[in-house]
Amino acid sequence: MWQHHANPLSLEQLAEIASYSKFHYSRMFNELTGTSPGRFLAAIRLFMAKRHLLETEASVTDITYRVGYNSLGTFTSRFTRSVGVSPTRYRALAHGRELPPLVPAADRSGHDLSAVCGQLYFPSEVGPVRVYVGAFNTPIVEGHPQAFDVLDEARPFRLTVPDGLWFIRAAAVDLDDSTSRSPIRPPRLVGSGWAVRARGGRVYSTDVQLREVTPLDLPILLALPELDGARRTTKTAFH
């Protein structure tokens, strides 16, 4: 998918490459990545669009076709929904090092809010990082999270959410960009908590084990300052 994201890849083609039936392939893919092959491919295409916007001077129309879309309107609407801003605004804000602040989705629930609390665990000591923890309504880190917490120190996280099923996702991003020449970078570590089905103003607990990124991890589509070309600041190591 990463190598051929601009091509019209079908489920049948992907299953044939893997030597599985399309039903077995789809089921195994979901177990390994947390989402369907189609959603994973769509996430790759939007992530690559972010790279083209920051690393080239190509027009948004050209980038639309480079990443496998045939409609500028469809590409623009999906990019805006997933990244949080339109392609043109994303490029301008990232180059100007002024990405918009992370704003949680508006609460449209009339029920009492629940709390999701937990602790972060690291595989070992890491360099200076900032950890973003959010509650999303899909396994993909896209759009504005329903709730989020930003940790620059070792403390538990707390997310306030309405009734619903929420996927808890975390990303640790480097704050030291002294060795990076690329305007877009992968997170240092990623992690997932248990999905939480919140209801009735209860308190839920789900710890998050952070780990190194692998090819099976969905790319982060939500624009984050330390990943998308905006200002980065070196801070004390967060363990």
Side-chain angles (χ1 to χ4, degrees):
M1 287 184 186
W2 282 104
Q3 295 174 0
H4 303 283
H5 59 272
N7 300 330
L9 297 174
S10 67
L11 177 60
E12 288 77 8
Q13 288 175 300
L14 294 169
E16 183 178 357
I17 292 169
S19 299
Y20 287 130
S21 72
K22 65 179 183 180
F23 304 105
H24 183 65
Y25 172 78
S26 184
R27 183 172 64 253
M28 292 296 295
F29 193 98
N30 203 309
E31 289 180 5
L32 288 170
T33 68
T35 193
S36 69
R39 292 295 303 277
F40 200 101
L41 178 59
I44 289 175
R45 286 172 169 166
L46 292 176
F47 177 82
M48 293 305 297
K50 291 170 68 176
R51 293 196 61 172
H52 285 299
L53 286 164
L54 294 192
E55 297 178 358
T56 76
E57 298 297 324
S59 68
V60 174
T61 300
D62 287 342
I63 292 172
T64 297
Y65 296 106
R66 286 187 186 185
V67 298
Y69 283 89
N70 295 319
S71 165
L72 175 61
T74 299
F75 166 72
T76 300
S77 64
R78 291 182 180 175
F79 186 98
T80 303
R81 183 177 67 243
S82 295
V83 178
V85 289
S86 70
T88 302
R89 184 162 173 76
Y90 170 78
R91 172 181 267 169
L93 291 172
H95 283 325
R97 300 178 180 270
E98 296 253 350
L99 285 174
L102 193 60
V103 178
D107 172 34
R108 297 182 176 85
S109 172
H111 301 284
D112 293 336
L113 297 178
S114 295
V116 180
C117 305
Q119 184 70 47
L120 300 174
Y121 293 95
F122 293 84
S124 61
E125 287 192 2
V126 296
V129 295
R130 172 170 294 144
V131 184
Y132 292 89
V133 186
F136 297 85
N137 59 9
T138 76
I140 302 175
V141 180
E142 64 178 354
H144 292 300
Q146 179 64 49
F148 69 90
D149 200 353
V150 183
L151 286 73
D152 284 326
E153 58 184 355
R155 63 171 176 80
F157 65 86
R158 182 181 178 89
L159 309 173
T160 303
V161 297
D163 288 0
L165 178 63
W166 304 107
F167 297 88
I168 311 304
R169 298 291 184 263
V173 300
D174 280 320
L175 293 178
D176 183 1
D177 66 349
S178 60
T179 61
S180 176
R181 296 181 179 275
S182 174
I184 186 168
R185 302 182 301 170
R188 175 72 175 83
L189 303 165
V190 295
S192 303
W194 293 106
V196 172
R197 188 173 295 279
R199 63 178 69 177
R202 300 178 183 177
V203 177
Y204 299 86
S205 177
T206 177
D207 293 335
V208 175
Q209 175 68 56
L210 288 137
R211 54 175 175 74
E212 298 287 341
V213 179
T214 76
L216 294 176
D217 289 311
L218 285 152
I220 291 177
L221 300 182
L222 172 64
L224 297 178
E226 290 77 22
L227 300 184
D228 295 81
R231 179 176 60 84
R232 302 168 189 138
T233 304
T234 300
K235 286 200 172 188
T236 304
F238 172 44
H239 306 292

